[in-house]
Amino acid sequence: MNSRDSVRLGRRAVLGAAGAAAAGLSLAACGGSKGPGQAGAAATGKGGADGYNGPDVQLQYWNGLTGGDGPVMKKLVQKFMDANPKIKVTTTSIAWADLFQKLPAAVQSGKAPDICLMHTADIATNAARRVIQPIDDVVKGLNLTAADYADAVWKSAHYQDKQYAIPLDIHPAGLYYNKKVLTQVGADPTKPPTTKDEFMAVLDKCKSKGVKGYWVSALSVGGLIAQSMIFQSGGYMISDDGAKTGFGDQPAIDSITFFKSLIDNGYSPANAAGDGDWVSFSNNKAAFMIVGPWMVTPCKQAKGLDWGCAPVPLLGGDQQTWAGSHCFTLPRQTSQDKNKGDAARFFVNWMSQHSVGWAEAGMVPARKSVRESKEFEQYTEVKQFEKMIDWAHFPPNVAGMSDTDPEWSKGVSLAMTGKQPVADALKAAADKGNKILEANKKKYG
């Protein structure tokens, strides 16, 4: 639950300025578009469609699942090995920011893992730097098509007309509501708010009872919370062509202004910690939190918590929500072992087909066929997030876009704490972000 996630500052742990800087800059110091692994030959074939019948092999699998989702992934990997005894998989979990420092170096030195899990926001940068290899053979061999995936997540796995990843899941932002607190303040615990007016009506009831209904923090609001409202208002964080940020545009200004007003008007305490929404929610001190499906499991485990989840309320003009996705990639190999290459492709295929078990970590399976299976029906809370798949807003396929994250985080912090007017702080962040994007266009070609 606390693992770092570089998907446009999605997870709680990168929302502080220091965390954002680490996530945003982790790849910047390792070279330009002519990156490591250029001599590596990619394995070809049917992408794992025919299984694996070679000799025993041992695969190295890296991911950044250092939180509660890590054990769930290891459980899935064990199931794979039990079903396929010829393939042993060693799973190494590294904090996301550290992973993207270590991965290019490992590729360059010829010690790259065979498989690496990353986010849609990481794909373009790693593809441009030749850290990962195209996997069109996997897509062709497995007869995978966009029809079995949500359009947005399928497109996000591409860079410059080549596919570099197979999506494992989709994790959109959603609304969690505390039924005990709603009952306490006189709101209907069976009807979570669906609009901004309904959301504020409940917060007014909370305020009248002396309850801070929704804790907002300058350290975390700039992530999926504010960005969902920005997308709903027609805004963006990075333009599709990678030419400019939307940090200083009116949708961003309106979003941060709204969330700051919750503090200014007493709906949220001032100076809340980055995880204040979870702490207050889980201790029956707040009515709401807006976060991704990875909090489903912690909510289930929290004693005395009576809760529900639902789509994000319509705070802007159109139903949109921030979303991320974990994707399987194949790092470049300086000397590709064909058996390992075949086994790695089979592993990716098998994990994708059996991804219903990944819902135990709160994630929505990316494959439509898996979501339509009877096995997925048991994950009732996760299915609330499935409702938002068509509203999911993914970052564009722009190399180096996360280099702008520290500027956004700094601007949001200055605005939320009142150190600068909202528009001034965000426009300054946009100016700096635009310069970074301009430099990256030259850097990544």
Side-chain angles (χ1 to χ4, degrees), residues 32 48 130 206 230 234 244 247 254 299 305 331 375 424:
R130 298 177 61 82
C206 290
I230 290 170
K244 71 181 293 288
F247 300 172
D254 290 345
C299 283
L305 183 61
E375 292 86 349
D424 292 352

Side-chain angles (χ1 to χ4, degrees), residues 7-8 120-121 156 323-324 393-398 401:
V7 188
R8 305 303 307 150
T120 52
S156 70
H393 189 109
F394 290 87
N397 307 85
V398 175
M401 63 182 172

Side-chain angles (χ1 to χ4, degrees), residues 406-421:
E407 300 303 334
W408 167 249
S409 294
K410 180 180 178 182
V412 170
S413 179
L414 291 171
M416 290 293 295
T417 56
K419 294 179 180 179
Q420 288 184 12

Side-chain angles (χ1 to χ4, degrees), residues 83-366:
N84 303 280
K86 285 189 172 184
I87 305 174
K88 181 178 180 181
V89 182
T90 300
T91 302
T92 302
S93 297
I94 308 168
W96 289 112
D98 295 334
L99 187 151
F100 292 118
Q101 288 180 336
K102 294 181 178 181
L103 182 61
V107 171
Q108 184 71 57
S109 65
K111 298 180 180 179
D114 301 286
I115 308 119
C116 186
L117 194 71
M118 59 180 64
H119 300 97
T120 52
D122 307 314
I123 293 169
T125 303
N126 284 283
R129 297 184 57 222
R130 298 177 61 82
V131 172
I132 55 177
Q133 56 184 288
I135 53 174
D136 297 286
D137 67 302
V138 178
V139 177
K140 182 178 179 180
L142 301 180
N143 293 317
L144 295 177
T145 68
D148 197 30
Y149 293 84
D151 186 58
V153 74
W154 183 256
K155 289 180 178 178
S156 70
H158 291 71
Y159 179 68
Q160 294 186 344
D161 299 322
K162 291 184 179 182
Q163 185 152 357
Y164 283 86
I166 300 298
L168 173 64
D169 63 46
I170 299 174
H171 42 265
L175 177 73
Y176 292 74
Y177 54 97
N178 186 308
K179 296 180 181 180
K180 182 176 182 179
V181 173
L182 292 178
T183 300
Q184 175 187 336
V185 302
D188 190 337
T190 67
K191 294 182 178 180
T194 60
T195 67
K196 185 177 180 180
D197 286 344
E198 292 175 358
F199 184 71
M200 292 307 301
V202 176
L203 292 188
D204 281 332
K205 288 180 180 290
C206 290
K207 186 177 178 180
S208 70
K209 299 292 186 178
V211 175
K212 304 291 186 181
Y214 175 49
W215 288 36
V216 177
S217 172
L219 297 174
S220 59
V221 72
L224 57 82
I225 301 167
Q227 290 180 40
S228 290
M229 185 175 179
I230 290 170
F231 301 148
Q232 289 180 2
S233 301
Y236 57 85
M237 298 300 290
I238 304 290
S239 62
D240 288 343
D241 61 3
K244 71 181 293 288
T245 72
F247 300 172
D249 294 351
Q250 199 60 47
I253 294 172
D254 290 345
S255 178
I256 298 303
T257 298
F258 169 71
F259 288 107
K260 183 176 184 299
S261 74
L262 298 183
I263 297 174
D264 295 342
N265 295 323
Y267 299 108
S268 167
N271 302 317
D275 62 351
D277 55 350
W278 165 244
V279 173
S280 59
F281 185 86
S282 60
N283 286 286
N284 298 314
K285 301 294 184 181
F288 303 121
M289 68 176 180
I290 297 174
V291 72
W294 51 84
M295 295 306 294
V296 166
T297 299
C299 283
K300 285 183 174 182
Q301 295 173 344
K303 294 182 179 180
L305 183 61
D306 188 9
W307 63 285
C309 53
V312 170
L314 186 58
L315 303 176
D318 184 33
Q319 191 59 270
Q320 295 280 321
T321 182
W322 173 96
S325 170
H326 294 100
C327 301
F328 286 115
T329 67
L330 301 178
R332 286 187 178 270
Q333 307 294 329
T334 54
S335 179
Q336 178 68 68
D337 181 296
K338 184 181 183 302
N339 291 319
K340 284 190 174 184
D342 291 343
R345 284 159 169 75
F346 175 59
F347 172 84
V348 169
N349 175 32
W350 192 96
M351 293 291 281
S352 177
Q353 290 179 330
H354 295 79
S355 56
V356 66
W358 187 226
E360 290 184 22
M363 307 297 174
V364 181

